[in-house]
Amino acid sequence: MTSQRKSTTTPLDRSRYKNPDNDLRGPYVSVDVTAPIDRPILQYEWHGKFPPSGRSWRYLKERAFELEADGRIQISSSGRITLKRFLSEVSAPDTSDSLTIASSGLEIIVRAAMRGIAIAIAENPLCLKDVEWRDLERVLREVFEKMGFMTRLTRSGKDGGFDLELQCTGLSGSKTFLVEVKHWAGSGKKPGRTALKSLIDVIARAADGTTGLLLSSTGFTTDVMNGRTEVEQHIVRLGTESKIVSLCQNYLQGESGLWAPTTELADMLLQGTT
């Protein structure tokens, strides 16, 4: 005999939705615009306020200002910032949150664990060999975001030739980096020309100005280190275990308040690479 699990979906309480300012889009509720996750890229000043400790704004800065221009942002007399969530949006997918950073409990737990691993690597580089390859990609995502990059982690097995996409804006404009991580600590195998050519091919298909970064915890074969052409050196930079450890150490110092970026993010990313 099988049993059916009863639905736990809470019926929509339409009485919560009001329209005190006669918004043409109809009744709405005011919702929080912060999320319980620590992401530097989402901790900018907005109307003289920063998110509370341990939280971030739910939106990238550009998106936040778009919502404000659209009349969706409210600021109370006490300075609290909220978002209008309209009743008409409840039954349909909420496209206004397309750039919202997911803040599920599981994701928060996983990302907190990755930050812990980054600190462990910084304090004891030898433990890098015990980190699973996919976890190292997630660890580096946390590290890059702490530096100030906007990041995108590709799905396992469907990366199209790279693991992480980084974006930043500096005095010279916006820059994009595609990062491929090779972590073959168990076998000691080193990536060679095939890995380099694969990333170069990806960069060639990307937007102009995109730079590749190939990180390997086990180093590279001799033919890669000594046989790259000048063009290849310009398109893709190489970083070894020392670069990975250095990134984690910067992360630890940043968490401790002992380090902050002093140069352009793009330049800082490529320091210690060849």
Side-chain angles (χ1 to χ4, degrees):
M1 181 177 178
T2 60
S3 60
Q4 293 182 340
R5 180 176 295 178
K6 294 182 179 180
S7 172
T8 58
T9 302
T10 303
L12 176 64
D13 183 5
R14 294 175 179 268
S15 65
R16 296 173 52 237
Y17 292 78
K18 309 294 182 181
N19 193 2
D21 55 354
N22 296 315
D23 194 301
L24 295 178
R25 287 164 289 194
Y28 60 86
V29 292
S30 299
V31 298
D32 191 9
V33 290
T34 69
I37 193 167
D38 183 9
R39 295 190 61 181
I41 194 69
L42 296 173
Q43 293 173 349
Y44 50 87
E45 185 176 1
W46 192 9
H47 287 282
K49 289 184 174 292
F50 287 89
S53 177
R55 300 183 70 88
S56 301
W57 299 122
R58 295 180 62 201
Y59 306 96
L60 297 173
K61 191 172 185 178
E62 294 79 2
R63 178 58 174 161
F65 290 159
E66 287 176 2
L67 290 170
E68 189 168 354
D70 192 34
R72 296 182 61 107
I73 298 299
Q74 295 177 301
I75 304 175
S76 70
S77 58
S78 63
R80 182 170 181 256
I81 304 173
T82 56
L83 172 76
K84 289 183 177 180
R85 179 63 51 79
F86 293 97
L87 177 61
S88 59
E89 298 173 322
V90 174
S91 60
D94 187 2
T95 56
S96 71
D97 283 353
S98 61
L99 291 179
T100 299
I101 305 304
S103 58
S104 69
L106 180 59
E107 181 186 9
I108 293 171
I109 293 171
V110 170
R111 299 192 69 162
M114 296 304 105
R115 292 192 286 270
I117 294 175
I119 292 173
I121 294 172
E123 295 177 334
N124 180 15
L126 291 178
C127 75
L128 177 59
K129 62 180 176 57
D130 297 321
V131 179
E132 293 290 336
W133 65 271
R134 185 59 174 169
D135 283 341
L136 183 57
E137 296 169 11
R138 297 188 179 100
V139 166
L140 289 173
R141 177 190 185 184
E142 300 302 321
V143 169
F144 291 135
E145 288 193 354
K146 185 65 177 181
M147 292 171 66
F149 287 97
M150 184 169 63
T151 70
R152 180 174 69 89
L153 181 67
T154 62
R155 293 177 58 189
S156 178
K158 297 184 179 181
D159 56 18
F162 64 95
D163 299 312
L164 284 154
E165 180 180 12
L166 313 180
Q167 293 183 331
C168 66
T169 302
L171 296 176
S172 56
S174 299
K175 292 184 180 296
T176 299
F177 296 89
L178 303 182
V179 183
E180 176 73 353
V181 182
K182 299 296 185 184
H183 184 48
W184 298 334
S187 65
K189 182 180 177 182
K190 300 179 179 181
R193 293 292 304 177
T194 300
L196 176 60
K197 184 179 184 302
S198 176
L199 187 53
I200 289 175
D201 289 344
V202 171
I203 299 301
R205 297 192 298 269
D208 291 343
T210 300
T211 301
L213 177 59
L214 182 58
L215 295 174
S216 170
S217 61
T218 54
F220 299 92
T221 59
T222 303
D223 65 320
V224 169
M225 296 302 292
N226 300 330
R228 285 188 300 159
T229 66
E230 188 173 331
V231 172
E232 289 175 335
Q233 293 178 37
H234 178 73
I235 294 176
V236 175
R237 303 295 293 270
L238 305 180
T240 60
E241 177 185 8
S242 62
K243 177 60 179 178
I244 296 173
V245 172
S246 175
L247 287 167
C248 291
Q249 289 173 341
N250 285 345
Y251 177 86
L252 174 58
Q253 292 170 352
E255 286 288 279
S256 305
L258 302 176
W259 174 88
T262 57
T263 60
E264 291 267 326
L265 279 179
D267 296 334
M268 184 168 53
L269 177 66
L270 300 180
Q271 287 176 355
T273 64
T274 57

